[in-house]
Amino acid sequence: MSDMKKTCLYDAHVQLGATMVPFGGFEMPLQYSNIIDEHRAVREACGVFDVSHMGEVFVEGNDAERFVQYIFTNDISGAEVGKIFYGMMLHENGGTVDDLLVYKMGDMKFLLVVNAANIDKDYAWIEKQAASFDVETRNESPCWGQLAIQGPEAEDVTTKVLGLPCKELEFYTFNEMDSDGEHLIVSRTGYTGEDGFEIYGTPKYIVAAWEKLMASGHAKPCGLGCRDTLRFEVGLPLYGDELTDEITPLEAGLGMFVKLDKGDFIGRDALLKQKEEGLKRKIVGIELEGRAIPRHGYEVLKDDVVVGTVTTGYNSISTGKSVCMALVDINAAALDTPIAVRIHKKVQPGIVTKKRFYKKSYKK
Amino acid sequence: MAKVIEGLYYSESHEFVRIEGEFGFVGITDYAQNQLGNVVYVDMPEVDDEVTAGEEFGAVESVKAASDLISPVSGTVVEVNEALEDEPELINKDAFENWVMKVKLSDPSEVESLMDAASYEKTCE
C-alpha cells in the first residue's frame, strides 16, 4: 500500500488499532472495533468518522454561479450564502462524472465536495469545462481535513466537546467559524441517515478535534465499513456502485436532484431524451426472503432470466433482513415484482421494494 | 491470541475437523472467526450432499465479505448445524463448538494430510 495517500488522522487510526484498507487511493480505517457496534453507535448515540479523504474544489470568480449551474444538475440560482446542494456532474451522454455537495460560500465563491476516488478525474474535468468561463478553480483537497460527527447525540457532542455553535444550523446549511484560532466550515450534513455535522478544517485542527472527541468518550470512532452499511440502509447512493460513468441520475432514482427546467447544463439533453423515451433500466431495492447476502455484482433474475446486477447489498444491521440495491431492466423494476438473486450457487427469492430499508432521522 | 484445540485436525484454509468414529464435524477455527469479524450468515450444504476434500462446500459471511468454506474431508453430509441459520453469530462466540456440518467420512485416512494443533498454531502466528 506504499502508493496510498494518508489522511492527517492516519497515525490516530493505527494507534486505535483500526483495520486499514485501501479506499479511493487512501489508506482508510475499515473498522476500529467491529462494524455492527460502530453502526449501532451512529443509529443510537454518536459516531465520528475521518472523512478527510473527500475532495475540496473551490470555484471563484465573476462567472462562478453560471459555471456551477452549467456543470451541476441541481439548481443553485438565487440561493443564499450558507446553503448546500446535493447533485451530480454529468457527461454529455448523461452518465455520472461524480455526485457531490455544492456549498455556496459567497455570491462569487462555491465549494464543491467530491468523492476521494474521483478527485483527480473531477478536477481535470472541471478545469476543462472552466476554460470558457471567468472563474478560477482550485483543488484544495490536501489542505483540508474533515470529520463527520453523526447520530442522535451529534449536536450535543459537537456543541459540548468541540465547543462549536451548531444548534441553529439547519439541515443542508453551513457556517464558517473560527475556533482555537482556526478557520472552519461546519455543516449539518452527513452520509448516514442520522442527524449530524461535517467539520472542515486544517489538518492541525482536525487532529486536535479528533483527540478531544476520543478523550470525551462520547463519540465512537467509526470506519468506512459502517459508513457504507449506514448510507446503504437509507438508500443513499455510493459512486462506483449506484452511480458510475455509465449510470445516469434518472436511472439511479435521483431525479429530484436534477432540475431539467433550470436552463442548460452538461448532460441535460441526454437526460431529456432519456426521460422522453422512458428509462430502460433503474436502480431498485430488493428484499430477500432468507438471510443469504446479496453482494455487489451478483446476478438478479426474473423468471430465471438475468435482468440485472446487485449494486450494494447487506444483511441490514438495523432490520436483520437481507436486502440490496440493484440495477435492473425496467420490466423488472415495478414495486412488488417477484425477483431473485443468485447467491453462490443458489437462487434466492425476493421482491422489489423501495430503496429505503430504514427510515432517515434528519433534523429539519 | 486465537484458541487452538488439541486433538482436532486443521486445514491451511482455517477449517477444522473433529473426528468421532466414522464421522467428522467440520467448522471454522477461532483464528478464522476472529479474522472475519461479525459472522452474519453461513451458507451451509444440505444433508446428503457429497463433499470432497479441498473443495468448497459453503460460505461464511461477515458484514463486508463472503469467504468460501473448503472441506478438509470427503464424504456425505449427514447433518448441518441448524442453530447457525438463526444465530450465525454463535461462530464468533465459540467457533469450535459451533461446527457447520457433520460428514460421514468416505476416506478416514485423509485427515493424515491435515495439520495437528501444534502445526496449525504456527501458521496462525
Side-chain angles (χ1 to χ4, degrees):
Chain A
M1 297 211 284
S2 57
D3 294 343
M4 290 280 145
K5 290 183 266 186
K6 292 172 177 162
T7 74
C8 54
L9 288 167
Y10 176 84
D11 290 343
H13 302 320
V14 171
Q15 217 166 51
L16 286 167
T19 307
M20 303 299 287
V21 293
F23 179 84
F26 287 80
E27 255 185 275
M28 296 297 290
L30 174 71
Q31 60 185 56
Y32 302 85
S33 52
N34 70 70
I35 293 174
I36 293 177
D37 288 352
E38 292 170 22
H39 179 107
R40 293 204 171 118
V42 173
R43 288 274 179 259
E44 292 159 16
C46 182
V48 57
F49 299 82
D50 174 18
V51 284
S52 303
H53 59 314
M54 300 297 287
E56 290 84 11
V57 175
F58 286 84
V59 173
E60 225 171 321
N62 288 323
D63 286 344
E65 178 172 317
R66 199 166 66 83
F67 176 65
V68 174
Q69 283 287 69
Y70 180 64
I71 62 166
F72 186 58
T73 59
N74 212 331
D75 186 2
I76 61 160
S77 62
E80 287 170 28
V81 172
K83 279 269 183 204
I84 302 168
F85 295 85
Y86 172 71
M88 299 85 211
M89 301 188 291
L90 303 181
H91 296 287
E92 286 287 356
N93 69 5
T96 308
V97 176
D98 204 359
D99 63 335
L100 65 153
L101 294 178
V102 170
Y103 287 58
K104 182 162 179 180
M105 312 283 296
D107 287 333
M108 289 190 288
K109 184 178 179 186
F110 297 86
L111 162 61
L112 281 48
V113 181
V114 303
N115 283 300
N118 292 337
I119 294 173
D120 294 341
K121 175 184 94 167
D122 288 357
Y123 189 62
W125 185 85
I126 290 166
E127 270 195 307
K128 192 176 143 204
Q129 311 306 330
S132 53
F133 290 82
D134 179 11
V135 289
E136 184 203 353
T137 61
R138 288 191 314 278
N139 175 13
E140 293 192 7
S141 304
C143 313
W144 293 85
Q146 189 190 348
L147 296 179
I149 301 176
Q150 302 280 299
E153 294 171 12
E155 185 181 281
D156 247 27
V157 170
T158 308
T159 314
K160 289 177 186 160
V161 179
L162 298 183
L164 301 176
C166 60
K167 277 191 164 54
E168 308 301 321
L169 270 183
E170 288 174 20
F171 189 56
Y172 266 63
T173 67
F174 70 95
N175 266 331
E176 292 186 76
M177 53 182 86
D178 289 315
S179 176
D180 302 331
E182 299 272 353
H183 174 70
L184 308 178
I185 300 169
V186 180
S187 61
R188 194 164 214 144
T189 47
Y191 192 47
T192 61
E194 300 296 325
D195 185 32
F197 301 88
E198 292 180 299
I199 299 164
Y200 304 76
T202 61
K204 184 179 153 219
Y205 176 85
I206 294 300
V207 169
W210 177 272
E211 280 168 7
K212 274 189 205 171
L213 290 163
M214 291 303 110
S216 78
H218 293 303
K220 191 174 177 67
C222 290
L224 292 184
C226 77
R227 188 166 156 84
D228 200 51
T229 56
L230 288 158
R231 70 89 193 167
F232 163 76
E233 279 185 353
V234 292
L236 296 172
L238 172 65
Y239 191 89
D241 289 345
E242 287 74 33
L243 286 170
T244 68
D245 289 311
E246 280 78 42
I247 301 175
T248 76
L250 301 184
E251 291 169 331
L254 299 167
M256 65 180 291
F257 306 105
V258 179
K259 307 297 183 198
L260 291 168
D261 54 3
K262 74 167 185 173
D264 193 27
F265 62 90
I266 301 172
R268 178 172 177 262
D269 291 347
L271 295 193
L272 281 171
K273 184 159 173 264
Q274 189 170 55
K275 204 170 177 181
E276 192 186 299
E277 291 176 353
L279 293 176
K280 293 184 177 63
R281 56 181 195 164
K282 198 177 152 187
I283 302 266
V284 297
I286 297 173
E287 182 180 318
L288 296 181
E289 286 171 18
R291 284 186 67 126
I293 303 168
R295 304 214 184 250
H296 179 94
Y298 288 7
E299 285 178 348
V300 178
L301 303 111
K302 185 188 167 209
D303 304 327
D304 302 324
V305 178
V306 175
V307 291
T309 54
V310 171
T311 55
T312 310
Y314 285 108
N315 184 266
S316 166
I317 293 170
S318 298
T319 69
K321 289 177 179 162
S322 281
V323 286
C324 64
M325 293 194 261
L327 182 61
V328 301
D329 295 346
I330 204 70
N331 65 12
L335 284 181
D336 300 326
T337 303
I339 204 161
V341 180
R342 191 189 302 282
I343 300 180
H344 309 310
K345 285 162 195 158
K346 295 170 205 158
V347 173
Q348 304 284 350
I351 58 160
V352 173
T353 63
K354 290 184 177 168
K355 285 183 298 178
R356 194 168 300 171
F357 307 110
Y358 183 82
K359 198 176 174 300
K360 291 175 186 160
S361 317
Y362 294 140
K363 208 172 229 182
K364 291 197 184 183
Chain B
M1 209 28 228
K3 193 165 85 172
V4 174
I5 293 183
E6 290 292 332
L8 307 185
Y9 296 92
Y10 298 88
S11 69
E12 284 173 8
S13 49
H14 303 290
E15 288 85 9
F16 71 85
V17 54
R18 186 176 83 231
I19 303 298
E20 281 187 17
E22 59 185 335
F23 299 103
F25 293 84
V26 176
I28 67 165
T29 66
D30 186 54
Y31 176 84
Q33 71 76 22
N34 194 34
Q35 291 289 309
L36 274 166
N38 305 109
V39 174
V40 292
Y41 179 69
V42 185
D43 182 29
M44 290 186 282
E46 283 170 22
V47 170
D48 293 336
D49 278 0
E50 297 289 327
V51 293
T52 307
E55 289 186 10
E56 178 241 312
F57 70 94
V60 54
E61 306 207 19
S62 67
V63 176
K64 283 301 285 181
S67 175
D68 282 346
L69 289 165
I70 310 294
S71 186
V73 291
S74 304
T76 308
V77 178
V78 293
E79 196 180 337
V80 296
N81 185 357
E82 285 171 8
L84 297 175
E85 281 174 16
D86 292 325
E87 289 182 88
E89 64 272 21
L90 287 172
I91 287 189
N92 293 119
K93 289 191 181 130
D94 190 336
F96 292 116
E97 196 59 37
N98 292 286
W99 48 273
V100 176
M101 64 172 179
K102 179 180 174 185
V103 179
K104 185 168 191 293
L105 305 173
S106 59
D107 179 5
S109 72
E110 278 176 342
V111 297
E112 287 161 24
S113 58
L114 297 168
M115 287 177 273
D116 62 11
S119 312
Y120 178 65
E121 198 161 17
K122 280 184 197 141
T123 70
C124 297
E125 279 167 5

